[in-house]
C-alpha cells in the first residue's frame, strides 16, 4: 500500500532539516548564531528571515565613514601650489 509523502510547506524553514538550514545559511550569508537569533525573534518564515538578514546587512553597510573636517581639507589644498595658465601672446612681424 502506498502512502502519500507529506508535502513540505515551501515558504517555511524546517529547523530540524539540516540540509535546508545549511542551504538557507549559505544563501543568506548567515552564521548559526545569527540564523538562530533571527528564527527565535521573527519565526520560521523564509521571506521574513530573508528580509531581516537584508536589514541587518544594511545596518552594517550604512555606518558613517570618518570624513575629515572642512578646515583640514582647506588647509591641505592651500598648501598645494596653484598653477595658472598664462596665455602667451605671439607677435608676428
Amino acid at each position: 500500500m502506498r502512502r502519500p509523502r507529506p508535502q513540505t510547506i515551501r515558504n517555511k524553514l524546517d529547523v530540524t532539516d539540516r540540509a535546508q538550514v545549511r542551504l538557507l545559511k549559505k544563501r543568506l550569508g548567515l552564521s548559526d548564531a545569527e540564523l538562530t537569533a533571527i528564527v527565535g525573534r521573527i519565526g520560521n518564515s523564509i521571506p521574513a528571515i530573508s528580509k531581516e538578514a537584508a536589514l541587518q546587512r544594511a545596518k552594517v553597510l550604512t555606518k558613517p565613514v570618518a570624513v575629515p573636517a572642512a578646515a583640514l581639507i582647506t588647509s591641505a589644498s592651500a598648501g598645494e601650489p596653484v598653477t595658472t595658465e598664462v596665455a602667451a601672446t605671439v607677435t608676428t612681424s
Side-chain angles (χ1 to χ4, degrees):
M1 181 192 246
R2 292 186 167 235
R3 292 186 183 177
R5 195 170 120 205
Q7 293 292 335
T8 58
I9 300 173
R10 297 169 80 179
N11 61 349
K12 299 289 183 186
L13 175 65
D14 183 13
V15 184
T16 60
D17 186 5
R18 289 181 14 201
Q20 191 177 16
V21 170
R22 181 176 42 89
L23 288 172
L24 187 65
K25 284 188 332 187
K26 185 176 180 181
R27 186 179 82 184
L28 298 178
L30 297 172
S31 67
D32 286 329
E34 291 171 333
L35 183 63
T36 304
I38 291 174
V39 169
R41 194 172 56 246
I42 302 295
N44 64 345
S45 171
I46 293 175
I49 294 170
S50 300
K51 184 177 178 181
E52 183 66 23
L55 287 173
Q56 283 184 359
R57 232 177 282 118
K59 286 180 185 177
V60 171
L61 293 177
T62 58
K63 288 185 178 178
V65 179
V67 178
L72 180 63
I73 294 172
T74 56
S75 67
S77 63
E80 298 176 0
V82 178
T83 58
T84 57
E85 294 182 23
V86 179
T89 56
V90 178
T91 57
T92 56
S93 331

